[in-house]
Amino acid sequence: MAFPNPASFAKGDKNEIPEVEQLGTITLEQLNAYHCNNEERRLLSLFGDVFDVTSSEKGYGKEGAYKEYAGHDITLAISLMKTDEQWLDKFVKMEKKWIDDAKGWVDYMECKYPRCGKLDKWEEDPESWPELTPEEKEAINKCVIM
């Protein structure tokens, strides 16, 4: 079963995206400062593109549905549809399916939020990053029943 294109969930058009201060290239430590409890500004990174998600209090604020994502690189987490901290800021070789799934979310983010910088970690060659451990691969497929 295929997931719908995330961009189809976006409402409005790109003209409604607010202008925000551009940060240029930032480090992971700098990105981590823009977490859900940061009242001034909340950011996240997807494939190294930093998006300002401050406008979505319900999504990325203190009580937001995706508050865990604010202040982090979410590329692996969103490709796996996980919100657990262990998948955030994790730079590993990704399977083609994961890359394709995460790239669908780039369209969504571009429709909803302004880009404001780049994450320096993505200037590295992703092929040089380590692979997931066997335990991590097993955790990906673990079903959680609530």
Side-chain angles (χ1 to χ4, degrees):
M1 177 178 165
F3 285 102
N5 182 335
S8 67
F9 300 128
K11 293 188 173 94
D13 62 45
K14 288 186 176 192
N15 296 335
E16 297 173 18
I17 296 175
E19 297 234 353
V20 297
E21 176 189 356
Q22 296 298 302
L23 300 175
T25 301
I26 64 172
T27 66
L28 184 58
E29 282 118 43
Q30 289 171 309
L31 177 64
N32 291 159
Y34 295 100
H35 50 76
C36 67
N37 293 312
N38 185 326
E39 296 289 328
E40 302 287 318
R41 195 168 193 189
R42 288 178 293 278
L43 309 176
L44 58 77
S45 166
L46 182 57
F47 289 107
D49 289 323
V50 178
F51 291 92
D52 187 316
V53 294
T54 308
S55 63
S56 180
E57 182 72 28
K58 289 181 180 179
Y60 304 98
K62 288 181 194 178
E63 304 298 322
Y66 305 105
K67 64 184 176 214
E68 296 88 350
Y69 285 175
H72 297 282
D73 182 90
I74 66 166
T75 308
L76 181 63
I78 205 162
S79 74
L80 302 173
M81 300 303 288
K82 304 279 188 186
T83 56
D84 314 48
E85 280 187 35
Q86 78 181 85
W87 308 111
L88 300 172
D89 301 331
K90 192 153 190 80
F91 302 95
V92 296
K93 290 180 186 173
M94 293 175 58
E95 294 180 10
K96 182 181 180 332
K97 180 189 179 335
W98 303 343
I99 292 169
D100 293 345
D101 289 347
K103 283 189 176 177
W105 286 100
V106 172
D107 294 338
Y108 172 81
M109 298 303 286
E110 288 174 338
C111 289
K112 299 282 285 184
Y113 306 108
R115 274 197 177 106
C116 62
K118 297 291 273 178
L119 186 62
D120 68 348
K121 183 73 176 171
W122 282 90
E123 292 175 355
E124 298 175 12
D125 178 7
E127 286 300 311
S128 70
W129 295 341
E131 293 190 21
L132 289 174
T133 66
E135 294 80 15
E136 289 169 327
K137 287 181 180 179
E138 186 177 320
I140 290 170
N141 297 316
K142 191 176 274 186
C143 180
V144 177
I145 300 173
M146 302 181 130

